[in-house]
């Protein structure tokens, strides 16, 4: 197991190196540049040239890439062109919000999707099966931003049941330790702050969970149907085992491998930032910030954020691979 983890981590090095080359070339091929975002359309050629020289963008691209790799080896991601703050500081300030939002969405999707998919498979062809399949199709087809606007209009602006924007009520004086607002409230025993931060996650979490929930329902249903047709399930039923034992030890456990893979991929995607959801609810995560950085051609932010997100994505999928050995002991043996 240890050698497997080390091997996967070593595979991360060439992957990140290749990503850095492709990303660097792509960013520098974008039309315009940071000088256009800073000066607008009225900047003179002399002013644009001065900004490019100040930022080091007038040097050959290989020199710029070499300087970037030197900073990466020192874990120095540079300074944002737009905010003039360290990229690491910007990331540590905004990434916890994205993690909280993604975790909320995935918890909702898992707690609802897996039981619903299992029940739909067990009642194949009945009303519940038809409703779950139709609901999953609707969940995939509805755009996230549209669902976010609908939830916000109904439950926040009309019924006033949930807050309409932000991560926490600005009037609450909360202690910041990790920038995970819910966790900080629990660590400092500021229960009102933790509850308010959790309350702010409900609507954006529901909107963001719609597509993962629909996918998990369909994957779970298909996987359970496949396992139900296996000989070992019929043998277990013929031996007189209770339905609970057959369900937990034989059906669900063997059906969870493709579901775990799907959950890992969906989680990695959500951690890269939910631009539309964060924008609708004015949620300070990395998604909206990356979108703004693209329009501002903020190269250090884009390079740093995307490289870190790539590392996080690989680590999440490594955890998924490790979970295989817990779900199916045969994977551990191989």
């Amino acid at each position: 197991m240890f050698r497997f983890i080390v091997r996967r981590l070593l595979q991360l090095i060439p992957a990140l190196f290749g990503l850095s080359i492709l990303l660097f070339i792509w960013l520098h091929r974008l039309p315009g540049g940071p000088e256009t975002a800073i000066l607008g359309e009225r900047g003179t050629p002399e002013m644009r040239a001065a900004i490019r020289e100040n930022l080091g963008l007038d040097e050959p691209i290989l020199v710029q890439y070499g300087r970037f790799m030197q900073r990466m080896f020192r874990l120095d991601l540079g300074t944002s062109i737009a905010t003039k703050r360290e990229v690491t500081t910007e990331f540590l300030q905004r990434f916890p919000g994205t993690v909280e939002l993604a975790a909320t969405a995935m918890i909702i999707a898992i707690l609802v999707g897996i039981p619903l998919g299992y029940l739909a498979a067990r009642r194949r062809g009945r009303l519940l099966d038809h409703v779950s399949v139709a609901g999953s199709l609707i969940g995939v087809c509805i755009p996230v931003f549209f669902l976010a606007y609908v939830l916000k209009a109904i439950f926040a602006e009309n019924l006033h049941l949930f807050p309409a924007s932000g991560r926490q009520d600005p009037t609450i004086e909360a202690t910041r330790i990790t920038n995970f607002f819910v966790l900080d409230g629990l660590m400092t025993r500021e229960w009102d702050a933790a509850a308010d931060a959790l309350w702010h996650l409900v609507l954006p979490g529901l909107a963001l969970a719609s597509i993962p929930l629909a996918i998990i329902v369909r994957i779970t249903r298909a996987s359970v149907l496949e396992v139900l047709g296996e000989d070992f399930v019929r043998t277990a039923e013929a031996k007189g085992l209770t339905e609970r034992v057959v369900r937990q030890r034989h059906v669900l456990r063997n059906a969870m491998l493709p579901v775990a893979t799907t959950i890992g991929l969906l989680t990695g995607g959500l951690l890269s930032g939910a631009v539309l959801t964060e924008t609708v609810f004015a949620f300070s995560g990395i998604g909206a910030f990356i979108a703004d950085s693209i329009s501002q051609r903020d190269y250090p932010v884009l390079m740093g954020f995307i490289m870190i997100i790539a590392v996080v994505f690989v680590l999440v999928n490594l955890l998924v691979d490790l979970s295989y050995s817990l779900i199916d002991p045969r994977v551990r043996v191989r």
Side-chain angles (χ1 to χ4, degrees), residues 164-187:
S165 62
R167 292 182 60 191
Q168 197 171 54
D169 190 339
T171 61
I172 295 180
E173 296 182 0
T175 305
R176 296 284 176 259
I177 300 176
T178 64
N179 276 332
F180 292 92
F181 287 5
V182 177
L183 179 61
D184 288 346
L186 296 177
M187 292 174 61

Side-chain angles (χ1 to χ4, degrees), residues 55-75:
L55 298 176
L57 300 176
D58 59 332
E59 298 179 352
I61 190 171
L62 291 179
V63 176
Q64 297 181 47
Y65 179 75
R67 188 184 300 113
F68 166 76
M69 291 303 296
Q70 289 178 356
R71 292 199 306 267
M72 285 292 294
F73 283 122
R74 299 196 305 267
L75 300 180

Side-chain angles (χ1 to χ4, degrees), residues 257-273:
L257 284 180
V259 178
T261 303
T262 302
I263 291 174
L265 294 174
L266 292 172
T267 303
L270 293 182
L271 289 176
S272 64

Side-chain angles (χ1 to χ4, degrees), residues 204-220:
L206 286 173
L208 192 59
S210 59
I211 293 179
L213 171 59
I215 294 175
I216 290 175
V217 168
R218 296 184 68 84
I219 294 297
T220 303

Side-chain angles (χ1 to χ4, degrees), residues 106-296:
M106 288 308 303
I107 289 174
I108 294 173
I110 292 171
L111 292 182
V112 178
I114 293 179
L116 187 58
Y118 172 80
L119 292 176
R122 295 290 293 185
R123 292 164 174 79
R124 183 180 183 182
R126 300 180 185 177
L127 178 61
L128 179 61
D129 185 25
H130 295 311
V131 171
S132 63
V133 172
S136 63
L137 288 174
I138 294 174
V140 172
C141 295
I142 293 180
V144 174
F145 73 90
F146 176 76
L147 180 59
Y149 276 119
V150 170
L151 293 175
K152 182 177 180 180
I154 296 176
F155 296 102
E157 297 176 355
N158 292 333
L159 299 179
H160 304 288
L161 296 177
F162 298 95
S165 62
R167 292 182 60 191
Q168 197 171 54
D169 190 339
T171 61
I172 295 180
E173 296 182 0
T175 305
R176 296 284 176 259
I177 300 176
T178 64
N179 276 332
F180 292 92
F181 287 5
V182 177
L183 179 61
D184 288 346
L186 296 177
M187 292 174 61
T188 58
R189 297 186 178 183
E190 297 174 350
W191 311 120
D192 292 341
D196 184 75
L198 191 60
W199 206 238
H200 277 75
L201 287 168
V202 174
L203 289 185
L206 286 173
L208 192 59
S210 59
I211 293 179
L213 171 59
I215 294 175
I216 290 175
V217 168
R218 296 184 68 84
I219 294 297
T220 303
R221 177 182 178 274
S223 183
V224 170
L225 284 175
E226 182 180 356
V227 173
L228 286 174
E230 296 291 341
D231 292 337
F232 63 85
V233 174
R234 290 192 291 269
T235 302
E237 293 174 343
K239 290 168 61 177
L241 297 179
T242 63
E243 182 181 355
R244 181 179 178 181
V245 173
V246 174
R247 179 178 66 247
Q248 293 181 352
R249 295 186 180 179
H250 298 279
V251 178
L252 277 177
R253 192 164 187 176
N254 285 278
M256 282 299 102
L257 284 180
V259 178
T261 303
T262 302
I263 291 174
L265 294 174
L266 292 172
T267 303
L270 293 182
L271 289 176
S272 64
V275 179
L276 298 177
T277 306
E278 292 175 5
T279 302
V280 171
F281 291 98
F283 201 89
S284 57
I286 64 173
F289 190 68
I290 289 177
D292 293 337
S293 299
I294 292 176
S295 62
Q296 296 167 351

